[in-house]
Structure formats: C-alpha cells, structure tokens
Amino acid sequence: MIIARTKVELKDTLKNLSNRPGKLALIPTMGNLHDGHLSLIKLAKLKSSKTITTIFINPLQFGNNEDFDKYPKTHELDIEKLEKEQCDVLFMPVNKDEVFPPPGKIKNIDSGMLGRDLCGKIRPGHFDGVLTVVNRMFELINPDIAIFGAKDYQQQILIKKMAKSLYPNLELLTAPIIRSQSGLALSSRNNYLSEQELKLASSLYKSLQQSVISYNNKINTEEIIKDAQKFLKSKNLIFDYFELRDSQLNTVKDSNFTGKKVFLASATINKTRLIDNIEF
Ligand code: PAF
C-alpha cells in the first residue's frame, strides 16, 4: 500500500494509479479503523479495481465542546489493517493544510435545512464541516465510487444530495451497519465506554428493534417513541432524539405510509453520544 502524506504525494500517486485500468473507489474515514470501516473497504474491493482510504480527523466537523483533541488515533494499527485488506493507497495528510486551502479560500458547503435537523440540531455546523471535507476529498481524489456507512444515516443522505449536483457521475454506495454481538453499532467512539457502559449502550439497538416490531403491530408512533424513551432512561441512556422518517428523512405523517422508513435514534451515555438506526 502506498501512503501519501501530502497533496503533492497524493497527486503523484493518483497519476501512477491512473495508468491501471478500472474504477477508483474512495473510503473516507477519520481512522481508528474497526470492522465497520473494513466492511467498506471489502465492498470497495468488490466494486472497483483500485481503492483509496483517507484518514483525516476533520476539525471542521467538531464543535468547541466536542472530542476533536481526544479522538482516538491508532495509525500504525490502521495501516496494518488496510494492508491486510489490500487497500492500494492511504491518504493520511500530515496536517490540515494538506487538505484545505488557506482560510478564506476554503469552499464551504452548506448542509441546508436537513443539516440542521436531527444530529445537526445537537451538533450545530457539524454537517457543513462534513460536507466541506468530503467535497474537498472528492476534488483532490476524483474517485469513480465513494463508500459511506449506513450508521451515519443522515450523513450519507446529505453527501448523496451534495454529490448529485456537484458530482453527477460519482457513484455513492452505502454499506450496512456492522454490529458487535450485543447489537451495538460499531463506532470509534465506543472506545470511550467501559464494559458496563458498552452493555447499556446496546439498549439503543434493542429500542430500535422493539420500535419496528411495535410499528408493524400498528402501535401509534407517538406511543412507540414514548416507550423507547422510557426504556432508554431505565438503561441510564440520556435521550437526544428518537424519530421515524422516510428514507430521505422527511417526516412520516401518514400512518398508512408504505414506503421505506427508518427509525433513527441518538442517546448519550457518560458524555459519549451514540447514534443508530434501522431501515424497514
Ligand atoms: O464518517 C466519518 O468518519 C466522517 O464524517 C467522514 C465522512 C470521514 C468525514 O470526515
């Protein structure tokens, strides 16, 4: 695997790679790679002949009171894992100047109303930061395919919306959520939790599963959400939101709506915010 640490190294590497036939798939990450990330790389290998992973902890998507400084960094282990998956290129910029132009010249992307809803209500500016860095990675790498995880449901919808207008030829793929045995969706932030907290955290998925069962049994959505809230509270999870939306994240107003739906939830345990969802 070739590791590019600067924009110039990236450009040279991509130029050499362009001599090889086939599609280039990009997997953007912030590192601390777990089986969820590795599933994205496996999917990339199935769909393309060249893969590039990025590891960059993007300062623009963290609020002032968030975990930018303590976000887990496990670069050596990450490199080992990527080599095992036979990823072709890793772009792991030495600093943010290797990603962004000087302040004032950065092309900021506005995530719009949807970017200020759900997680965006709790993390103002977060999705503008995500879209700004993802757009920048698309500009620098010009992939044919880009792959994101379904755990960050709102993120992948917003990226799809952005790409539809800015990169109409780019194919965006969403890979299924990978869970631990307890059902907890894998996330780098799970590293912040103790054994006991990890057990409690799996209640988030249980509440989503129960909600789908209740919905299919024609229980009223308001009641389902109240029950989920009560259950999460009993497990010491502080409820942020729990909502039923359609697959584009519009509110589902009609109880007879037959299209694809998703229950989305966010809850905090000992200052660590967890998100999860089930599409059905
Ligand atoms: O999902 C993530 O890890 C990040 O939000 C992303 C897409 C790599 C952008 O920094």
Short mmCIF file of all heavy atoms in Angstrom, two decimals, residues 180-224:
data_model
loop_
_atom_site.label_atom_id
_atom_site.label_comp_id
_atom_site.label_asym_id
_atom_site.label_seq_id
_atom_site.Cartn_x
_atom_site.Cartn_y
_atom_site.Cartn_z
N SER A 180 -21.66 -5.24 17.05
CA SER A 180 -20.99 -6.20 17.93
C SER A 180 -22.02 -7.28 18.27
O SER A 180 -23.20 -7.15 17.93
CB SER A 180 -20.51 -5.50 19.20
OG SER A 180 -21.65 -5.14 19.96
N GLN A 181 -21.58 -8.31 19.00
CA GLN A 181 -22.52 -9.41 19.33
C GLN A 181 -23.73 -8.92 20.09
O GLN A 181 -24.83 -9.45 19.95
CB GLN A 181 -21.79 -10.46 20.14
CG GLN A 181 -21.12 -11.48 19.25
CD GLN A 181 -20.65 -12.67 20.03
OE1 GLN A 181 -20.52 -12.62 21.25
NE2 GLN A 181 -20.36 -13.74 19.32
N SER A 182 -23.55 -7.87 20.88
CA SER A 182 -24.66 -7.35 21.68
C SER A 182 -25.64 -6.53 20.84
O SER A 182 -26.68 -6.11 21.33
CB SER A 182 -24.10 -6.47 22.80
OG SER A 182 -23.57 -5.28 22.23
N GLY A 183 -25.28 -6.25 19.60
CA GLY A 183 -26.15 -5.46 18.73
C GLY A 183 -25.68 -4.02 18.60
O GLY A 183 -26.14 -3.28 17.72
N LEU A 184 -24.74 -3.61 19.45
CA LEU A 184 -24.25 -2.22 19.40
C LEU A 184 -23.57 -1.95 18.05
O LEU A 184 -22.70 -2.72 17.62
CB LEU A 184 -23.25 -2.00 20.55
CG LEU A 184 -22.58 -0.64 20.62
CD1 LEU A 184 -23.60 0.47 20.90
CD2 LEU A 184 -21.50 -0.63 21.70
N ALA A 185 -23.98 -0.85 17.40
CA ALA A 185 -23.36 -0.48 16.12
C ALA A 185 -21.89 -0.11 16.36
O ALA A 185 -21.60 0.67 17.29
CB ALA A 185 -24.11 0.70 15.52
N LEU A 186 -20.97 -0.64 15.56
CA LEU A 186 -19.56 -0.33 15.77
C LEU A 186 -19.30 1.15 15.49
O LEU A 186 -19.82 1.71 14.53
CB LEU A 186 -18.67 -1.20 14.88
CG LEU A 186 -18.71 -2.71 15.12
CD1 LEU A 186 -17.56 -3.40 14.38
CD2 LEU A 186 -18.65 -3.07 16.60
N SER A 187 -18.48 1.75 16.35
CA SER A 187 -18.14 3.17 16.21
C SER A 187 -16.83 3.39 16.95
O SER A 187 -16.59 2.76 18.00
CB SER A 187 -19.24 4.02 16.86
OG SER A 187 -18.74 5.31 17.16
N SER A 188 -15.99 4.28 16.42
CA SER A 188 -14.72 4.57 17.12
C SER A 188 -15.00 5.11 18.51
O SER A 188 -14.21 4.92 19.43
CB SER A 188 -13.91 5.57 16.32
OG SER A 188 -13.65 5.04 15.04
N ARG A 189 -16.12 5.80 18.67
CA ARG A 189 -16.43 6.41 19.98
C ARG A 189 -16.82 5.36 21.03
O ARG A 189 -16.85 5.68 22.22
CB ARG A 189 -17.51 7.47 19.83
CG ARG A 189 -17.00 8.70 19.11
CD ARG A 189 -17.95 9.88 19.20
NE ARG A 189 -17.32 11.09 18.70
CZ ARG A 189 -17.52 11.60 17.47
NH1 ARG A 189 -18.33 11.00 16.62
NH2 ARG A 189 -16.91 12.71 17.12
N ASN A 190 -17.10 4.12 20.61
CA ASN A 190 -17.38 3.07 21.59
C ASN A 190 -16.15 2.85 22.48
O ASN A 190 -16.26 2.34 23.59
CB ASN A 190 -17.76 1.74 20.92
CG ASN A 190 -19.08 1.84 20.17
OD1 ASN A 190 -19.80 2.83 20.31
ND2 ASN A 190 -19.41 0.83 19.38
N ASN A 191 -14.98 3.25 21.98
CA ASN A 191 -13.74 3.12 22.76
C ASN A 191 -13.78 3.94 24.04
O ASN A 191 -13.00 3.70 24.95
CB ASN A 191 -12.54 3.62 21.95
CG ASN A 191 -12.12 2.61 20.92
OD1 ASN A 191 -12.27 1.42 21.13
ND2 ASN A 191 -11.63 3.09 19.78
N TYR A 192 -14.64 4.94 24.08
CA TYR A 192 -14.71 5.78 25.29
C TYR A 192 -15.49 5.09 26.42
O TYR A 192 -15.51 5.58 27.54
CB TYR A 192 -15.44 7.11 24.99
CG TYR A 192 -14.81 8.00 23.94
CD1 TYR A 192 -15.61 8.81 23.12
CD2 TYR A 192 -13.44 8.07 23.77
CE1 TYR A 192 -15.05 9.64 22.16
CE2 TYR A 192 -12.88 8.89 22.81
CZ TYR A 192 -13.68 9.67 22.00
OH TYR A 192 -13.13 10.49 21.06
N LEU A 193 -16.18 3.97 26.09
CA LEU A 193 -17.11 3.37 27.06
C LEU A 193 -16.47 2.24 27.85
O LEU A 193 -15.65 1.48 27.32
CB LEU A 193 -18.35 2.83 26.32
CG LEU A 193 -19.14 3.85 25.48
CD1 LEU A 193 -20.30 3.14 24.76
CD2 LEU A 193 -19.69 4.97 26.35
N SER A 194 -16.90 2.11 29.13
CA SER A 194 -16.43 1.00 29.97
C SER A 194 -17.24 -0.26 29.58
O SER A 194 -18.24 -0.15 28.87
CB SER A 194 -16.68 1.32 31.44
OG SER A 194 -18.09 1.37 31.66
N GLU A 195 -16.82 -1.42 30.12
CA GLU A 195 -17.55 -2.68 29.83
C GLU A 195 -19.03 -2.54 30.16
O GLU A 195 -19.90 -2.92 29.38
CB GLU A 195 -16.97 -3.81 30.71
CG GLU A 195 -15.69 -4.41 30.16
CD GLU A 195 -15.88 -5.08 28.81
OE1 GLU A 195 -16.81 -5.90 28.71
OE2 GLU A 195 -15.12 -4.76 27.87
N GLN A 196 -19.29 -1.97 31.35
CA GLN A 196 -20.68 -1.81 31.82
C GLN A 196 -21.44 -0.88 30.88
O GLN A 196 -22.59 -1.14 30.51
CB GLN A 196 -20.61 -1.25 33.27
CG GLN A 196 -21.93 -0.86 33.87
CD GLN A 196 -22.87 -2.08 34.00
OE1 GLN A 196 -22.48 -3.22 33.76
NE2 GLN A 196 -24.12 -1.82 34.36
N GLU A 197 -20.80 0.22 30.48
CA GLU A 197 -21.46 1.19 29.59
C GLU A 197 -21.72 0.58 28.20
O GLU A 197 -22.74 0.85 27.58
CB GLU A 197 -20.59 2.45 29.45
CG GLU A 197 -20.62 3.31 30.70
CD GLU A 197 -19.50 4.34 30.75
OE1 GLU A 197 -18.53 4.27 29.96
OE2 GLU A 197 -19.57 5.23 31.62
N LEU A 198 -20.79 -0.27 27.75
CA LEU A 198 -20.99 -0.92 26.45
C LEU A 198 -22.24 -1.79 26.47
O LEU A 198 -23.01 -1.83 25.52
CB LEU A 198 -19.77 -1.78 26.09
CG LEU A 198 -18.55 -1.02 25.58
CD1 LEU A 198 -17.33 -1.94 25.50
CD2 LEU A 198 -18.81 -0.42 24.19
N LYS A 199 -22.45 -2.47 27.63
CA LYS A 199 -23.64 -3.31 27.76
C LYS A 199 -24.89 -2.45 27.69
O LYS A 199 -25.84 -2.76 26.97
CB LYS A 199 -23.61 -4.04 29.12
CG LYS A 199 -23.02 -5.40 29.02
CD LYS A 199 -23.27 -6.19 30.30
CE LYS A 199 -22.16 -7.21 30.42
NZ LYS A 199 -21.74 -7.44 31.78
N LEU A 200 -24.87 -1.34 28.43
CA LEU A 200 -26.04 -0.45 28.45
C LEU A 200 -26.27 0.16 27.06
O LEU A 200 -27.41 0.33 26.63
CB LEU A 200 -25.86 0.66 29.49
CG LEU A 200 -25.86 0.19 30.94
CD1 LEU A 200 -25.44 1.31 31.88
CD2 LEU A 200 -27.24 -0.34 31.34
N ALA A 201 -25.17 0.47 26.38
CA ALA A 201 -25.27 1.13 25.07
C ALA A 201 -26.03 0.26 24.05
O ALA A 201 -26.69 0.79 23.15
CB ALA A 201 -23.87 1.45 24.55
N SER A 202 -25.94 -1.06 24.22
CA SER A 202 -26.62 -1.93 23.25
C SER A 202 -28.15 -1.80 23.36
O SER A 202 -28.88 -2.27 22.48
CB SER A 202 -26.18 -3.38 23.42
OG SER A 202 -26.61 -3.84 24.67
N SER A 203 -28.62 -1.15 24.42
CA SER A 203 -30.07 -0.91 24.58
C SER A 203 -30.60 -0.02 23.46
O SER A 203 -31.79 -0.05 23.15
CB SER A 203 -30.38 -0.22 25.90
OG SER A 203 -29.74 -0.86 26.94
N LEU A 204 -29.73 0.78 22.88
CA LEU A 204 -30.19 1.68 21.81
C LEU A 204 -30.71 0.85 20.63
O LEU A 204 -31.79 1.12 20.10
CB LEU A 204 -29.03 2.59 21.37
CG LEU A 204 -29.42 3.76 20.49
CD1 LEU A 204 -30.38 4.69 21.19
CD2 LEU A 204 -28.18 4.55 20.05
N TYR A 205 -29.96 -0.17 20.26
CA TYR A 205 -30.38 -1.03 19.15
C TYR A 205 -31.65 -1.80 19.54
O TYR A 205 -32.57 -1.94 18.75
CB TYR A 205 -29.24 -1.99 18.79
CG TYR A 205 -29.57 -2.92 17.65
CD1 TYR A 205 -30.08 -2.44 16.45
CD2 TYR A 205 -29.36 -4.31 17.76
CE1 TYR A 205 -30.38 -3.29 15.39
CE2 TYR A 205 -29.65 -5.16 16.71
CZ TYR A 205 -30.16 -4.65 15.53
OH TYR A 205 -30.45 -5.49 14.49
N LYS A 206 -31.66 -2.26 20.82
CA LYS A 206 -32.85 -3.02 21.27
C LYS A 206 -34.09 -2.14 21.16
O LYS A 206 -35.15 -2.60 20.74
CB LYS A 206 -32.66 -3.50 22.71
CG LYS A 206 -31.56 -4.53 22.84
CD LYS A 206 -31.59 -5.27 24.17
CE LYS A 206 -30.46 -6.27 24.25
NZ LYS A 206 -29.19 -5.68 24.73
N SER A 207 -33.96 -0.86 21.52
CA SER A 207 -35.13 0.03 21.46
C SER A 207 -35.57 0.23 20.01
O SER A 207 -36.77 0.33 19.73
CB SER A 207 -34.83 1.37 22.14
OG SER A 207 -33.91 2.10 21.36
N LEU A 208 -34.63 0.26 19.09
CA LEU A 208 -34.98 0.41 17.67
C LEU A 208 -35.68 -0.85 17.16
O LEU A 208 -36.68 -0.78 16.45
CB LEU A 208 -33.72 0.69 16.84
CG LEU A 208 -33.10 2.08 17.01
CD1 LEU A 208 -31.66 2.10 16.52
CD2 LEU A 208 -33.92 3.13 16.27
N GLN A 209 -35.13 -2.00 17.55
CA GLN A 209 -35.75 -3.27 17.11
C GLN A 209 -37.18 -3.37 17.61
O GLN A 209 -38.10 -3.71 16.87
CB GLN A 209 -34.96 -4.46 17.68
CG GLN A 209 -33.68 -4.76 16.94
CD GLN A 209 -32.96 -5.93 17.59
OE1 GLN A 209 -32.72 -5.92 18.80
NE2 GLN A 209 -32.61 -6.92 16.81
N GLN A 210 -37.37 -3.03 18.91
CA GLN A 210 -38.71 -3.10 19.50
C GLN A 210 -39.65 -2.12 18.79
O GLN A 210 -40.82 -2.42 18.56
CB GLN A 210 -38.62 -2.78 21.01
CG GLN A 210 -39.95 -2.87 21.73
CD GLN A 210 -40.65 -4.22 21.52
OE1 GLN A 210 -40.04 -5.29 21.66
NE2 GLN A 210 -41.93 -4.20 21.12
N SER A 211 -39.13 -0.96 18.40
CA SER A 211 -39.97 0.05 17.75
C SER A 211 -40.47 -0.44 16.40
O SER A 211 -41.62 -0.20 16.04
CB SER A 211 -39.18 1.35 17.57
OG SER A 211 -38.78 1.81 18.82
N VAL A 212 -39.61 -1.14 15.68
CA VAL A 212 -40.04 -1.68 14.38
C VAL A 212 -41.14 -2.72 14.60
O VAL A 212 -42.17 -2.71 13.90
CB VAL A 212 -38.84 -2.29 13.60
CG1 VAL A 212 -39.31 -2.97 12.32
CG2 VAL A 212 -37.81 -1.22 13.28
N ILE A 213 -40.95 -3.57 15.60
CA ILE A 213 -41.97 -4.60 15.89
C ILE A 213 -43.29 -3.90 16.23
O ILE A 213 -44.35 -4.23 15.69
CB ILE A 213 -41.52 -5.52 17.07
CG1 ILE A 213 -40.29 -6.32 16.65
CG2 ILE A 213 -42.65 -6.44 17.53
CD1 ILE A 213 -39.62 -7.11 17.76
N SER A 214 -43.22 -2.90 17.10
CA SER A 214 -44.45 -2.19 17.52
C SER A 214 -45.11 -1.52 16.33
O SER A 214 -46.33 -1.56 16.19
CB SER A 214 -44.13 -1.13 18.58
OG SER A 214 -43.51 -1.73 19.67
N TYR A 215 -44.30 -0.91 15.47
CA TYR A 215 -44.87 -0.22 14.29
C TYR A 215 -45.60 -1.23 13.42
O TYR A 215 -46.72 -0.98 12.97
CB TYR A 215 -43.75 0.47 13.49
CG TYR A 215 -44.30 1.31 12.36
CD1 TYR A 215 -44.61 2.66 12.55
CD2 TYR A 215 -44.56 0.76 11.11
CE1 TYR A 215 -45.15 3.43 11.53
CE2 TYR A 215 -45.09 1.52 10.07
CZ TYR A 215 -45.37 2.85 10.29
OH TYR A 215 -45.91 3.61 9.29
N ASN A 216 -44.98 -2.39 13.21
CA ASN A 216 -45.61 -3.41 12.36
C ASN A 216 -46.87 -3.96 13.02
O ASN A 216 -47.74 -4.50 12.35
CB ASN A 216 -44.62 -4.53 12.04
CG ASN A 216 -43.56 -4.03 11.05
OD1 ASN A 216 -43.81 -3.08 10.29
ND2 ASN A 216 -42.37 -4.62 11.08
N ASN A 217 -46.95 -3.83 14.36
CA ASN A 217 -48.17 -4.26 15.08
C ASN A 217 -49.16 -3.11 15.21
O ASN A 217 -50.04 -3.13 16.06
CB ASN A 217 -47.81 -4.78 16.48
CG ASN A 217 -47.16 -6.14 16.40
OD1 ASN A 217 -47.39 -6.87 15.43
ND2 ASN A 217 -46.34 -6.47 17.37
N LYS A 218 -48.94 -2.07 14.39
CA LYS A 218 -49.89 -0.95 14.27
C LYS A 218 -49.99 -0.09 15.53
O LYS A 218 -51.02 0.55 15.78
CB LYS A 218 -51.30 -1.44 13.88
CG LYS A 218 -51.36 -2.32 12.64
CD LYS A 218 -51.81 -1.47 11.44
CE LYS A 218 -51.89 -2.23 10.14
NZ LYS A 218 -50.65 -2.51 9.47
N ILE A 219 -48.96 -0.10 16.35
CA ILE A 219 -48.97 0.78 17.53
C ILE A 219 -48.67 2.20 17.05
O ILE A 219 -47.84 2.40 16.15
CB ILE A 219 -47.95 0.30 18.58
CG1 ILE A 219 -48.27 -1.15 18.87
CG2 ILE A 219 -47.92 1.21 19.81
CD1 ILE A 219 -48.11 -1.70 20.17
N ASN A 220 -49.33 3.14 17.65
CA ASN A 220 -49.19 4.54 17.29
C ASN A 220 -47.73 5.03 17.49
O ASN A 220 -47.11 4.73 18.51
CB ASN A 220 -50.20 5.25 18.19
CG ASN A 220 -50.03 6.72 18.22
OD1 ASN A 220 -49.07 7.21 18.77
ND2 ASN A 220 -50.98 7.38 17.61
N THR A 221 -47.22 5.80 16.51
CA THR A 221 -45.79 6.19 16.54
C THR A 221 -45.43 6.97 17.81
O THR A 221 -44.37 6.77 18.40
CB THR A 221 -45.45 7.03 15.28
OG1 THR A 221 -45.88 6.33 14.14
CG2 THR A 221 -43.98 7.31 15.17
N GLU A 222 -46.34 7.86 18.23
CA GLU A 222 -46.04 8.66 19.45
C GLU A 222 -45.83 7.75 20.65
O GLU A 222 -44.92 7.97 21.46
CB GLU A 222 -47.21 9.59 19.75
CG GLU A 222 -47.01 10.97 19.16
CD GLU A 222 -48.19 11.87 19.42
OE1 GLU A 222 -48.76 11.82 20.52
OE2 GLU A 222 -48.55 12.59 18.48
N GLU A 223 -46.68 6.74 20.72
CA GLU A 223 -46.58 5.80 21.84
C GLU A 223 -45.27 5.01 21.76
O GLU A 223 -44.59 4.80 22.76
CB GLU A 223 -47.76 4.83 21.75
CG GLU A 223 -48.24 4.33 23.10
CD GLU A 223 -49.54 3.56 22.90
OE1 GLU A 223 -50.53 4.16 22.42
OE2 GLU A 223 -49.52 2.35 23.17
N ILE A 224 -44.92 4.62 20.53
CA ILE A 224 -43.67 3.86 20.34
C ILE A 224 -42.48 4.68 20.84
O ILE A 224 -41.60 4.18 21.56
CB ILE A 224 -43.46 3.53 18.82
CG1 ILE A 224 -44.55 2.60 18.33
CG2 ILE A 224 -42.08 2.95 18.58
CD1 ILE A 224 -44.51 2.32 16.82
#
